[in-house]
Amino acid sequence: MENVVSQKPMRLIWLDQLKAVSMYIVVLGHTLLDFNKHKLFKFIYSFHMPLFFMISGFTFNPDKYERIIECIKDKVIKLAYPYVMLNILVIPLWFINMETGMIGKDSIPKILLGIFYSNSSAVRAPSNATWFIMTLLLAEIVYYTLYHFLHDDKSVFLMSGILCLLGVLAPLGNEVVDAPLHLDVSLVAQFFYGCGYLLRKNFNYIKSCFCGYTYLKLIMLVMTGLFFSIINKQVDLSNELYRNFVYTLISSFTISVSMFYVFNRIKIYPKIMSYIGRNTIIILAFHIPVMRVIQAYCPFFNENQMNAILLSFIVFALMLPTIWIVKQCFPFMIKMPDKIKDIVERV
């Protein structure tokens, strides 16, 4: 395998662009929740979460940490802390959503428990979409642990695939309770995360495969992903619905690889898209609560699919001032203060 992963990889602008577009796809999927019988919704859910995990894995560096505990601490600082704080920051919007009847009645203690349980199937949090953050945290720790002990790509890929299979099979049993932190989903997520890493290591080879009849090959990949999303049942990783997992893998990889290639080839990088791509964690926390406030006071957006698509653009546009407000007024909510960080690192 050709290793193109450097010790300290530079920030990839095109990858931020891809994150921004992928984040819009997530927003669109959520505005279409009331129209989940439509093929567009089904298509989006067939690949959007695997794509996000692959984007995260694309920058994985197995040599970044010397010990597993260092990896855990780093993920607590960079993922667990903003996850908790952003959920707390969203509570006023959660209260408005509850008062307008957009969500069920819950108490403050219950939603605080929901933050730490991080699985809305068991107990809701102020921002349920942030389940992705904690699942990503576990996926990164699991994948790094595999590399820490196994070292080579082939062994890690094999073990990662076995863990993924266990994650897929886990929800098929008669569970007493839904797993906290989406533990079973994280086993599936770490496989997509690892595939993102392997995609980067072999990206030059993959790009060479598109040489000659490039557009035709891209169209064939996208059409393949669309076909398998249509013949598959509704996929939803957050609810452990993998359906025909072979179909899910095909639709996930064909669409994701196509998007990776296209955005790598784009030479124009709008700064606003890079800005969005660097702050998707804030959008993840706020977009559904904001969407529900708009739907409560403007039921027009719930009338048909086209109105829901229009709502997705409005919500996505509103995320720009939201990012600015959070970063300017509440920077400690997304970046752990140095004093707390020092304590975590000394533990």
Side-chain angles (χ1 to χ4, degrees), residues 57-103:
F58 199 79
T59 57
F60 173 71
N61 181 1
D63 300 320
K64 184 176 181 179
Y65 314 102
E66 293 184 1
R67 298 181 300 159
I68 296 174
I69 190 63
E70 293 176 4
C71 175
I72 295 173
K73 290 177 182 178
D74 188 52
K75 301 312 168 187
V76 168
I77 292 169
K78 294 180 179 177
L79 292 175
Y81 176 82
Y83 162 80
V84 172
M85 300 305 287
L86 285 171
N87 265 279
I88 292 173
L89 193 58
V90 165
I91 287 179
L93 288 173
W94 162 82
F95 183 78
I96 295 173
N97 291 156
M98 188 176 64
E99 290 299 307
T100 55
M102 295 301 294
I103 59 175

Side-chain angles (χ1 to χ4, degrees), residues 190-239:
Q190 59 81 32
F191 179 74
F192 288 113
Y193 179 87
C195 288
Y197 166 66
L198 294 177
L199 176 63
R200 179 173 183 176
K201 292 194 73 174
N202 297 276
F203 203 42
N204 288 336
Y205 170 75
I206 291 172
K207 287 191 291 185
S208 69
C209 293
F210 284 93
C211 293
Y213 302 101
T214 301
Y215 295 112
L216 177 61
K217 291 175 181 177
L218 283 172
I219 292 172
M220 289 179 62
L221 271 183
V222 173
M223 293 303 294
T224 299
L226 177 61
F227 172 76
F228 280 98
S229 73
I230 291 173
I231 65 173
N232 201 5
K233 294 181 179 179
Q234 180 63 60
V235 176
D236 187 350
L237 261 65
S238 65
N239 288 307

Side-chain angles (χ1 to χ4, degrees), residues 86-115 120 123-130 285-294 296-297:
L86 285 171
N87 265 279
I88 292 173
L89 193 58
V90 165
I91 287 179
L93 288 173
W94 162 82
F95 183 78
I96 295 173
N97 291 156
M98 188 176 64
E99 290 299 307
T100 55
M102 295 301 294
I103 59 175
K105 297 283 186 179
D106 283 317
S107 64
I108 292 290
K110 188 173 182 179
I111 64 165
L112 291 177
L113 174 62
I115 295 174
S120 61
V123 54
R124 291 190 293 263
S127 180
N128 291 320
T130 53
F286 277 88
H287 76 279
I288 290 183
V290 169
M291 177 192 77
R292 285 173 175 158
V293 170
I294 296 174
Y297 292 101

Side-chain angles (χ1 to χ4, degrees), residues 239-251:
N239 288 307
E240 298 97 20
L241 299 177
Y242 309 107
R243 305 309 188 181
N244 185 315
F245 195 58
V246 174
Y247 293 173
T248 301
L249 287 175
I250 294 173
S251 57

